[in-house]
């Protein structure tokens, strides 16, 4: 198992460098800083562990043997670059102008005016599928994705949600109402490469993830038929329904619109494993898994909700799995994961347990089925044909 239990979160140490062109190289601070002086922002990057966001469940519940060399990172990855949007504030402290600057992940500089007030928004650039939107008054800055054409493995009652693509990893930090100080006591002395004295004004910020990672592992029990063949040999896809359609980078609050996200990137079945079930018992079974990026639950700040260690409001969150049967037919099962998501608003491990022996006989080869097999976790919606335990 090649899991690296480290993830990446980006911490910005913004250092405003004011070059005093008229001063010689000495460490005596001036009595004041001129309002026309320029300040430069430098960026540094740091990392943390996945447990910082998820707690102990990452260690205690995840059982799929994830080979990072083959499947990619299981946690957050280091961004390649950073985008800054800097808003100047007028006398009423409203955003009335802005400019943008791209940095590498290892640092960069942007010029500000000492004595002025700014709102500063930082997020990782280089994303290809996230859509950013704002208005002429700069009152919001939302991130969403496009609609998806993938197959949906939810039942009819949850397909009313719009199908959208998964977001890429997005980290952000918004710092509002920052005054670039004129007080020389707020500055530190440094020197540029020519030995000229510069005055350093520091702003500390931490980029936190806007995208929440859910690791879904599907445990198959009694997965051999009378001929010793696998009843379920994999999955064609997996859908999570009832999640947010996007987020606001200023407030960190997710949109209230509910959507569905689907992936067909289901990792291969690992067979004949001793697996720990949610009730604590150990049984021999097979396991497959996927990693999904989401915005989390609608209408909340997922990380703030997690820090409160309490349940959040959630409604109609479902997981649907298109099981690939022995004859290549696809059979869809669905479970209600609302209670699970309430307790894990910032991502985490979701475990499904399916008794393959209770699945109906497979349909004709190459077909898809599941019309009479619509199951939720705690309260079965229709006829009970299999067990899914969250």
């Amino acid at each position: 198992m090649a899991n690296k239990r480290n993830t990446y979160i980006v911490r910005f140490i913004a250092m405003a460098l004011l070059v005093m062109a008229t001063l010689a190289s000495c460490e005596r601070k001036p009595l004041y800083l001129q309002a026309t002086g320029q300040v430069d922002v430098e960026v540094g990057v740091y990392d943390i562990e996945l447990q910082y966001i998820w707690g102990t469940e990452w260690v205690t519940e995840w059982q799929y043997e994830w080979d990072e060399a083959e499947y990619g990172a299981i946690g957050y990855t280091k961004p390649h670059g950073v985008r800054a949007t800097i808003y100047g504030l007028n006398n009423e402290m409203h955003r009335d102008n802005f400019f943008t600057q791209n940095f590498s992940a290892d640092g960069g500089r942007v010029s500000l005016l000492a004595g002025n007030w700014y709102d500063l928004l930082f997020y990782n650039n280089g994303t290809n599928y996230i859509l950013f939107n704002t208005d002429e008054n700069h009152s919001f800055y939302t991130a969403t994705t496009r609609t998806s054409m993938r197959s949906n493995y939810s039942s009819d009652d949850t397909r009313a949600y719009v199908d959208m693509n998964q977001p890429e990893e997005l980290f952000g930090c918004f710092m509002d109402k920052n005054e670039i100080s004129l007080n020389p006591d707020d500055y530190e002395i440094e020197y540029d490469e020519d030995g000229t004295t510069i005055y350093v004004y520091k702003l500390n910020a931490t980029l936190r993830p806007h995208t929440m990672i859910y690791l879904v592992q599907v445990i198959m029990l009694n997965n051999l038929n009378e001929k010793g063949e696998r009843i379920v040999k994999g999955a064609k896809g997996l859908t999570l329904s009832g999640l947010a359609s996007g987020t606001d980078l200023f407030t960190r609050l997710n949109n209230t619109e509910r959507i569905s996200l689907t992936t067909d990137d289901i990792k291969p079945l690992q067979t004949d494993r001793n697996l720990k079930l949610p009730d604590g018992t150990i049984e021999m079974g097979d396991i497959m898994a996927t990693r999904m990026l989401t915005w989390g639950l609608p209408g909340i700040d997922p990380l703030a909700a997690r820090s409160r260690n309490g349940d959040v409001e959630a409604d109609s969150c479902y997981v649907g799995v298109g099981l690939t049967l022995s004859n290549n037919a696809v059979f869809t099962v669905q479970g209600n994961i609302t209670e699970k998501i309430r307790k894990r608003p910032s991502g985490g491990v979701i475990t499904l347990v399916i008794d393959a022996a209770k699945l109906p006989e497979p349909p004709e080869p190459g077909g898809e089925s599941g019309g009479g097999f619509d199951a939720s976790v705690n309260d079965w919606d229709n006829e009970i044909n299999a067990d899914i335990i969250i």
Side-chain angles (χ1 to χ4, degrees), residues 16-19 34-40 110-114 180 199:
L17 306 178
L18 177 60
V19 179
Q34 297 178 5
T36 56
Q38 297 292 314
V39 293
D40 297 324
V110 63
S111 217
L112 303 178
L113 287 172
I180 306 303
Y199 291 85

Side-chain angles (χ1 to χ4, degrees), residues 90-288:
N90 59 24
N91 292 335
E92 288 76 34
M93 302 302 285
H94 296 153
R95 303 172 198 127
D96 62 356
N97 61 79
F98 74 95
F99 65 94
T100 61
Q101 179 88 30
N102 290 326
F103 304 137
S104 74
D106 297 320
R109 296 177 178 236
V110 63
S111 217
L112 303 178
L113 287 172
N116 284 14
W117 289 79
Y118 297 91
D119 284 353
L120 302 94
L121 174 65
F122 298 98
Y123 60 89
N124 57 294
N125 59 16
T127 57
N128 295 315
Y129 305 108
I130 294 178
L131 304 177
F132 297 97
N133 188 35
T134 188
D135 63 355
E136 61 182 9
N137 297 320
H138 318 297
S139 61
F140 62 83
Y141 202 106
T142 58
T144 59
T145 61
R146 294 179 174 86
T147 55
S148 171
M149 300 301 293
R150 291 179 183 271
S151 298
N152 186 307
Y153 296 97
S154 297
S155 65
D156 291 339
D157 61 337
T158 59
R159 287 184 183 176
Y161 299 142
V162 175
D163 295 316
M164 299 188 75
N165 288 315
Q166 293 183 56
E168 298 153 281
E169 293 178 22
L170 182 66
F171 306 88
C173 175
F174 178 61
M175 304 174 65
D176 63 333
K177 295 180 175 57
N178 292 272
E179 182 185 18
I180 306 303
S181 176
L182 285 170
N183 185 349
D185 293 334
D186 293 334
Y187 289 75
E188 297 178 4
I189 292 176
E190 291 188 2
Y191 303 96
D192 66 13
E193 58 185 10
D194 298 323
T196 303
T197 304
I198 56 178
Y199 291 85
V200 180
Y201 183 67
K202 295 184 178 180
L203 298 172
N204 294 326
T206 301
L207 261 72
R208 300 180 299 162
H210 284 289
T211 45
M212 308 295 117
I213 300 173
Y214 285 100
L215 301 176
V216 185
Q217 56 186 1
V218 183
I219 295 175
M220 305 299 307
L221 301 179
N222 304 311
N223 197 26
L224 292 176
N225 61 21
E226 295 178 351
K227 299 179 181 180
E229 302 168 332
R230 301 287 166 190
I231 300 171
V232 174
K233 62 180 185 180
K236 185 176 181 181
L238 184 146
T239 297
L240 295 179
S241 298
L243 301 176
S245 63
T247 193
D248 189 326
L249 273 61
F250 288 156
T251 65
R252 299 194 67 86
L253 292 176
N254 284 345
N255 299 348
T256 56
E257 179 189 12
R258 298 176 181 275
I259 63 165
S260 294
L261 299 171
T262 297
T263 181
D264 54 13
D265 184 20
I266 313 298
K267 304 309 178 189
L269 199 70
Q270 296 175 354
T271 59
D272 301 325
R273 295 270 312 278
N274 285 320
L275 301 168
K276 185 177 181 180
L277 305 186
D279 63 4
T281 61
I282 305 295
E283 290 196 35
M284 180 74 73
D286 304 337
I287 187 171
M288 53 187 164

